[in-house]
Amino acid sequence: MRRFALIAVPYIWLLALFLVPFLIVFKISLSDIALARPPYMPQFSWADGVWDFLSQLDLENFTFLASDDLYWKAYLSSLKIALTSTVITLFVAYPIAYGMARAPQEWRPTLMMLVILPFWTSFLIRVYSWMGILSNEGFLNQFLLGIGAISEPLTILNTNSAVYIGIVYTYLPFMILPIYAALDRLDASLIEAAEDLGCSRLQAFWLVTIPLSKNGIIAGSFLVFIPALGEFVIPSLLGGSGTLMIGKVLWEEFFNNRDWPVASAVAVVLLLILIIPIVLFQRNQQKQSEEES
Amino acid sequence: MPASVFAPWNDPSEKPLIRFRNVTKRFGDFTAIDDLSLDIFEREFFALLGPSGCGKTTMMRMLAGFESPSDGSIELAGQDIVSVPPNKRAVNMMFQSYALFPHLTIWDNIAFGLRRDKRPKLDIADRVEEMLKLTRLEKFARRKPHQISGGQRQRVALARSLAKAPKLLLLDEPLGALDKKLRQDTQFELMDIQEKTGTTFVIVTHDQEEAMTVASRVAVMDEGRLIQVATPDAIYEAPNSVYVADFIGDVNIIAGIASSTGPGRYKIAWREDQAPFVAMSDKPFSEGAECYLAIRPEKVQISAQKPDEAANTVQGTVLDIAYLGNISTYIVELANGTQIKAQIANTRRISNRSFTWEDTVWLSWSDTAGILLDG
Ligand SMILES: Nc1ncnc2c1ncn2[C@@H]1O[C@H](COP(=O)(O)OP(=O)(O)O)[C@@H](O)[C@H]1O
Ligand SMILES: [Mg+2]
């Protein structure tokens, strides 16, 4: 009985906080828009019965998503932005994680602290402060103008570049930590063995360090890619009118158009897209824990 | 010495393969290797022996190129190698931790070094198969290191370090993880491989028996210095110090005062109420010098009656008997409390042995059985 209760806890959690909300959203996505409160119909009532209720649901909103190219363009553009920023984050994070893993033992807690420190400030405030840095009169432009590197201020804010900067900045710790964990476990004598067997430093890095941190790279990439795909705050604060991301579309459908059924359909499709990388991520984690045991 | 005996260290015309010249290695203000000079010759099986932390691994790492000496020079085949990086040295090392690549199969682990040389694929395959056969690992070629046993892993590490046919192979406590039986088998295997391949081996061990078994010469180290470098039998029979005598095998050490009684012959006064011991020594001792008489337990006879012609005799009672199967060690306490160990082969069944606890016995040894040391 106690064992059953123990197993039941995570399932109840999942049921209450994921499955039930998802079913509600899914139901709304199958409904029609209505000028009512809540702004969709049908509403379930015991009087009309289950069949009557179910027969009013349809896939209209999903066919609408397919017919209007705004949506699939937004999905594609989100994928592209999420993928690109994941790759950039990887290239920024790897050297940092590598440096941390090679730092003297007594420095490592401090370095780790520095990586996590930004989380102590609200995410929203940090994104807002990037507006102050990147705007035409912002710190970056003032600095570059000041040292004479540029004569005209650069337009960064409200472009895709600002979105990339924002995503890379925000999700960097999620990439650094798993890679650091992998590199930290890496036995230094393996690198020496590789060198002993004729590898240059660079070859040893490619043939030993990279393959042995592969799991960290994969884990970090998913941890960045998955939230970046549905990101809303960063594109709406830092991006411009040309920045098309599905999170932003979702927001506009819900709050500007008050079209809950279409917005829900967008969310359901986004979730379906995310399921693939999430499953792959789970596989990677499982494989890793099997290898370690 | 006959020409057939392998002893290049006695031949002044022989060029050493490795030459440490006044090598010092400091880590911060800690001196790990202290002004050490050493020659190791081609085809030698050279053992570094010493307690943990005496600098054995540091010596190996300097040979492999992972550490450079703070002072002095290291030559390999007449060339100063201090500035040569590890990947450019014709030296391979078998790591204390094996350092097998966990993401590669056994086959790929062994092929790793060969691939770096850009050899033809077929050559690599041939060489790997040869190594697998030599170390009897054919069946495990496709497994990953975590799928085989500790003993097998150790053989993979050996195969990998041998694959490139290095001039010099460094083995850092290669057999530490094995149980005794497997260790002995592997020791003979190592000697066999060394003979077959003609590679020069330097082996680190803290197991003196292992060093005695495999090595052509043994270097006993302590605190970053070489205490004695000699053949295993010389180290055992003629240690140059109490430290070496004590480190290698079992030994009785009796402190006393030397006085000469003839050419190369000394009397050692060790107790006022006992007759002095006599011992021959090539090493001269001045009159009244402090000295130590070292006698191996197997060179001490034990008998019920006082033997007539023995040079040294002393009486005591049997305090303890350690039965080791083929031999027994008797610990005999003398009247003044000194304990002396004597070892006898168990030629009779245990129930028929001549002495037992509390028996009064006579210990005796000849004047050449012990060795006289000055510290
Ligand atoms: N990289 C290092 N930094 C500081 N001290 C070291 C380092 N490597 C070895 N030492 C010290 O040098 C001494 C000799 O070490 P080592 O050669 O590993 O001994 P062992 O004979 O047990 O193999 C030890 O006291 C060790 O603590
Ligand atoms: Mg060591």
Side-chain angles (χ1 to χ4, degrees), chain B residues 201-332:
Chain B
F201 279 30
V202 177
I203 187 171
V204 159
T205 173
H206 61 240
D207 176 354
Q208 44 106 357
E209 225 175 286
E210 184 168 293
M212 307 292 280
T213 311
V214 297
S216 59
R217 277 193 305 161
V218 176
V220 181
M221 291 182 68
D222 187 32
E223 294 183 346
R225 295 165 184 273
L226 291 174
I227 308 298
Q228 187 172 16
V229 181
T231 56
D233 54 315
I235 289 262
Y236 190 78
E237 296 289 341
N240 66 359
S241 60
V242 173
Y243 178 81
V244 173
D246 205 25
F247 196 79
I248 309 278
D250 232 349
V251 72
N252 297 300
I253 305 275
I254 298 162
I257 304 293
S259 53
S260 181
T261 59
R265 197 176 167 80
Y266 294 90
K267 194 166 74 180
I268 302 109
W270 63 288
R271 291 286 304 188
E272 281 175 9
D273 54 346
Q274 297 271 352
F277 293 135
V278 288
M280 306 293 289
S281 175
D282 294 336
K283 186 155 57 174
F285 283 83
S286 55
E287 207 62 30
E290 218 178 290
C291 70
Y292 299 89
L293 181 61
I295 319 145
R296 301 283 179 197
E298 72 272 13
K299 296 198 168 67
V300 178
Q301 271 86 48
I302 184 165
S303 55
Q305 255 70 56
K306 181 173 181 170
D308 300 329
E309 66 273 25
N312 299 291
T313 52
V314 66
Q315 199 180 28
T317 54
V318 177
L319 187 72
D320 209 351
I321 306 172
Y323 176 69
L324 302 171
N326 54 342
I327 51 169
S328 288
T329 303
Y330 291 78
I331 298 171
V332 175

Side-chain angles (χ1 to χ4, degrees), chain A residues 192 195-197 199 207, chain B residues 61 87 92-93 100 103 164:
Chain A
E192 289 184 343
E195 283 181 39
D196 188 63
L197 292 165
C199 282
L207 295 168
Chain B
R61 292 175 58 79
N87 57 335
N92 283 134
M93 175 145 161
L100 300 180
H103 59 300
K164 294 184 81 170

Side-chain angles (χ1 to χ4, degrees), chain A residues 53-258:
Chain A
F53 171 71
L54 284 180
S55 63
Q56 291 186 55
L57 298 175
D58 54 46
L59 289 169
E60 202 180 14
N61 296 315
F62 290 95
T63 44
F64 172 67
L65 287 194
S67 65
D68 191 335
D69 65 358
L70 165 79
Y71 297 103
W72 63 262
K73 274 187 181 153
Y75 283 119
L76 270 186
S77 160
S78 297
L79 273 174
K80 194 189 124 223
I81 291 176
L83 260 177
T84 313
S85 34
T86 303
V87 173
I88 300 172
T89 314
L90 175 61
F91 279 99
V92 177
Y94 204 98
I96 298 177
Y98 189 82
M100 281 169 68
R102 285 299 175 92
Q105 197 71 47
E106 66 268 23
W107 279 66
R108 292 186 194 177
T110 316
L111 293 172
M112 177 78 90
M113 189 71 192
L114 288 176
V115 169
I116 305 172
L117 203 63
F119 287 126
W120 289 19
T121 314
S122 151
F123 164 62
L124 217 51
I125 292 175
R126 284 183 287 135
V127 176
Y128 267 111
S129 57
W130 272 106
M131 295 173 76
I133 296 170
L134 297 177
S135 72
N136 279 8
E137 308 80 40
F139 293 123
L140 183 66
N141 273 317
Q142 282 179 6
F143 173 73
L144 290 177
L145 286 169
I147 62 167
I150 51 171
S151 51
E152 289 282 302
L154 299 170
T155 313
I156 304 174
L157 192 64
N158 302 328
T159 66
N160 277 1
S161 309
V163 176
Y164 287 129
I165 292 174
I167 294 180
V168 170
Y169 163 77
T170 305
Y171 293 109
L172 196 59
F174 295 107
M175 187 69 95
I176 292 178
L177 295 179
I179 295 177
Y180 168 73
L183 289 175
D184 189 41
R185 270 200 303 266
L186 194 146
D187 180 1
S189 68
L190 292 179
I191 308 297
E192 289 184 343
E195 283 181 39
D196 188 63
L197 292 165
C199 282
S200 63
R201 286 272 162 86
L202 197 65
Q203 276 176 316
F205 181 75
W206 273 117
L207 295 168
V208 180
T209 312
I210 293 280
L212 287 177
S213 53
K214 191 187 78 196
N215 284 332
I217 293 174
I218 293 174
S221 298
F222 282 127
L223 288 178
V224 174
F225 177 78
I226 293 168
L229 189 62
E231 186 53 58
F232 155 71
V233 174
I234 296 170
S236 54
L237 290 185
L238 301 180
S241 50
T243 308
L244 198 56
M245 281 194 84
I246 200 67
K248 225 169 101 181
V249 172
L250 189 63
W251 170 273
E252 279 158 10
E253 289 296 347
F254 257 115
F255 297 99
N256 297 4
N257 299 350
R258 275 183 69 78

Side-chain angles (χ1 to χ4, degrees), chain B residues 25-28 30-33 50-61 67 96 172-173 204 206 221 224:
Chain B
K25 176 69 191 177
R26 280 180 290 265
F27 294 109
F30 175 78
T31 306
I33 299 294
S52 189
C54 70
K56 306 181 296 288
T57 298
T58 306
M59 293 273 286
M60 296 294 238
R61 292 175 58 79
E67 306 282 1
Q96 198 165 358
D172 193 351
E173 308 217 10
V204 159
H206 61 240
M221 291 182 68

Side-chain angles (χ1 to χ4, degrees), chain B residues 11 27 29 34 52 61 67 77 98 113 116 118 132 142 144 236 239 260 263 324 342 366:
Chain B
D11 182 353
F27 294 109
D29 53 8
D34 192 2
S52 189
R61 292 175 58 79
E67 306 282 1
Y98 307 151
R116 304 288 83 74
K118 309 229 168 15
L132 286 168
R142 294 287 149 212
K144 294 270 184 77
Y236 190 78
S260 181
L324 302 171
S366 69

